[in-house]
């Protein structure tokens, strides 16, 4: 990006920050209310809205627990970020025999070959531990290196209480996480379309391989999505997820569900067997009943005068645009007028057009965001910003418009006047001399008729 564009972006952000930070927050007449009337058996739980990361419900969400096989969500995330689906995975002796005897498996053999896609299905649907091990080796070369990648990714995602020590989730004192951290990982993974497709698949068949002449049928073990052992826990809005269980971890479960256009991620940890499904269903129902999602485009400008009543820019701004794909999630009892916003600048972004973010809050909770998009400053003629009217809690300042062509014309006129003044000063001595000669010539005494007669008389006497 050239210097001119950087300066333009800096100038744009100065305008927007100054405009927004001077606005008064709109205060709700009613007290802020956050629903909290549900509880679960699980020792830790969280429900997070998938698009915004808004936490709708939490119970001991930062407590550390063993994750068991929901670990494989992180494994799948790293694999999908680093591999093509048609790459060949070869099962090593460590992958086949290095996992706990009797743990989840699809009975692969040493030297067996499958594609990355087939191995992912084996890992996510049947929770096959040898598939998780083989994928880790395929990505990083050895398990220690893959574990390093897992922990680096956890840190990148903002996990605070996580340390991985294997790719499958088998018991290990150095392998732990929290409900909040797993929600972050699960949310990031679900943004990958292939991951969403895999965890939402009920049945899959691995074709014959170099070691198995018969196809291998797979069934999704998540009982809210698929009739695996019983249909008792089927949930119509379930999109899929990942199960987990060990004696020390208890039941762990990650589930995705969507209703009325809102996708939620639920994590329960240290739960009792089958209660993980009941807890998750109850949490989903409570959150779907008590929260709503709003698009920024629906509330960015709602007054008759196109006034921004929520603390963001007017739709008329040509230099900065608020990304209309941004959303907020708030309780159904709340109004969009109760939401406040804060500008957070970006010092670095993969998308050069994004220069900041409007982060929305309600009841001291983060409820969503919208990116601030930098438009083409070279083609924009004017950059208007407006403030909130007094009746809506704002400053009441009038609409401000900066018209650069007119400003340029004024500057040219001023420069022309300055140049004229300097020219006149440089010629001042010549002007004064000209004025003196002019005045002298016109102020010399004129001869009267009597003077002329005397002069003529004197000339005659001299001639005599």
């Amino acid at each position: 990006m050239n210097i001119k564009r950087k300066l333009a972006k800096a100038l744009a952000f100065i305008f927007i920050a100054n405009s927004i930070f001077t606005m008064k927050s709109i205060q709700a007449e009613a007290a802020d209310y956050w629903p909290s009337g549900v509880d679960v058996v699980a020792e830790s739980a969280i429900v997070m809205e998938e698009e915004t990361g808004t936490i709708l419900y939490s119970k001991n969400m930062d407590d550390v627990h063993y994750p068991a096989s929901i670990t494989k969500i992180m494994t799948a995330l790293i694999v999908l970020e680093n591999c093509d689906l048609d790459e060949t995975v070869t099962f090593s002796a460590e992958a086949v025999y290095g996992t706990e005897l009797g743990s989840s498996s699809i009975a692969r053999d040493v030297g067996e070959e499958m594609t990355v896609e087939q191995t992912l299905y084996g890992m996510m649907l049947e929770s096959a531990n040898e598939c998780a091990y083989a994928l880790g080796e395929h990505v990083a070369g050895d398990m220690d290196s893959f574990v390093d990648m897992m922990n680096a990714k956890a840190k990148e995602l903002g996990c605070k209480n996580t340390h991985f020590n294997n790719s499958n989730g088998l018991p290990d004192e150095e392998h732990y996480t929290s409900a909040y951290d797993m929600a972050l990982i699960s949310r990031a993974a679900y943004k990958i379309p292939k991951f969403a497709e895999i965890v939402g698949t009920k049945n899959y068949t691995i074709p014959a391989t170099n070691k198995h002449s018969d196809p291998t049928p797979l069934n999704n073990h998540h009982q809210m999505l698929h009739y695996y052992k019983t249909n008792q826990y089927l949930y119509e809005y379930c999109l899929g997820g990942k199960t987990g269980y060990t004696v020390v971890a208890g039941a762990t479960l990650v589930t995705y569900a969507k209703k009325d256009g809102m996708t939620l991620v639920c994590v329960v940890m240290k739960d009792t067997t089958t209660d993980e499904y009941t807890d998750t269903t109850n949490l989903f129902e409570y959150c779907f009943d008590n929260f709503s999602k709003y698009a920024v485009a629906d509330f960015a400008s709602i007054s008759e005068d196109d006034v921004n009543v929520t603390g963001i820019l007017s739709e008329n701004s040509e230099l900065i645009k608020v990304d209309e794909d941004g959303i907020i999630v708030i309780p159904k009892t709340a109004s969009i007028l109760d939401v406040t916003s804060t500008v957070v600048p970006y010092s670095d972004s993969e998308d050069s057009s994004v220069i900041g973010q409007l982060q929305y809050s309600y009841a001291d909770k983060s409820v969503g965001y919208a990116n601030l998009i930098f438009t083409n400053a070279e083609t924009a003629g004017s950059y208007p910003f407006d403030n909130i009217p007094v009746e809506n809690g704002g400053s009441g300042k009038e609409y401000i418009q900066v018209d650069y062509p007119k400003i340029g014309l004024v500057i040219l006129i001023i420069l022309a006047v300055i140049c004229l003044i300097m020219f006149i000063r440089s010629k001042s001595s010549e002007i004064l001399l000209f004025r003196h000669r002019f005045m002298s010539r016109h102020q010399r005494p004129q001869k009267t008729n009597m003077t002329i007669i005397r002069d003529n008389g004197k000339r005659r006497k001299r001639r005599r």
Side-chain angles (χ1 to χ4, degrees), residues 54 60 103 117 125 127 232 260 270 292:
T54 302
N60 303 324
S103 63
E117 181 178 27
L125 270 61
S127 203
Q232 179 181 353
D260 298 331
K270 196 64 175 179
S292 293

Side-chain angles (χ1 to χ4, degrees), residues 55-99:
I55 300 172
L56 308 186
Y57 171 90
S58 67
K59 175 185 178 182
N60 303 324
M61 68 177 186
D62 292 320
D63 286 2
V64 171
H65 297 287
Y66 296 117
S69 284
I70 59 175
T71 297
K72 295 176 175 110
I73 294 175
M74 173 62 93
T75 301
L77 171 59
I78 295 176
V79 170
L80 288 168
E81 287 185 338
N82 291 276
C83 298
D84 292 327
L85 294 174
D86 59 356
E87 292 178 15
T88 300
V89 176
T90 303
F91 286 74
S92 69
E94 289 79 7
V96 174
Y97 301 115
T99 56

Side-chain angles (χ1 to χ4, degrees), residues 102-168:
S103 63
S104 298
S105 170
I106 56 171
R108 297 298 91 176
D109 294 329
V110 177
E112 188 157 3
E113 295 179 350
M114 300 194 322
T115 65
V116 165
E117 181 178 27
Q118 293 163 357
T119 311
L120 281 169
Y121 273 103
M123 179 181 72
M124 297 305 292
L125 270 61
E126 291 283 349
S127 203
N129 290 319
E130 77 272 33
C131 289
Y133 201 110
L135 285 168
E137 287 185 322
H138 177 77
V139 172
D142 60 79
M143 187 50 59
D144 288 342
S145 298
F146 187 75
V147 165
D148 289 341
M149 294 177 69
M150 295 174 75
N151 289 318
K153 187 64 179 181
K155 183 178 180 180
E156 176 189 325
L157 293 174
C159 296
K160 302 179 293 184
N161 298 289
T162 294
H163 185 271
F164 292 113
N165 215 30
N166 58 59
S167 63
N168 47 39

Side-chain angles (χ1 to χ4, degrees), residues 350-363:
E350 293 182 1
D351 186 351
S352 60
S353 66
V354 178
I355 65 167
Q357 194 176 83
L358 279 173
Q359 296 185 352
Y360 298 97
S361 61
Y362 166 79

Side-chain angles (χ1 to χ4, degrees), residues 26 294-295 298-300 302 309-310 328 330 334-340:
I26 298 175
Y294 297 91
D298 294 337
F299 69 89
I302 63 173
V309 298
T310 56
I328 63 170
I330 56 176
S335 165
I336 57 174
L337 299 181
D338 302 338
V339 178
T340 58

Side-chain angles (χ1 to χ4, degrees), residues 13-25 308 310-314 320 322 341-344 357-358 372 385-388:
F13 195 79
I14 289 172
F15 270 116
I16 187 171
N18 183 65
S19 175
I20 295 176
F21 279 124
T22 56
M23 296 179 181
K24 295 181 180 179
S25 298
N308 174 351
T310 56
I312 66 173
L313 283 178
S314 164
I320 301 296
V322 177
S341 63
T342 303
V343 178
V344 178
Q357 194 176 83
L358 279 173
L372 297 175
F385 300 92
D386 55 35
N387 290 322
I388 303 173

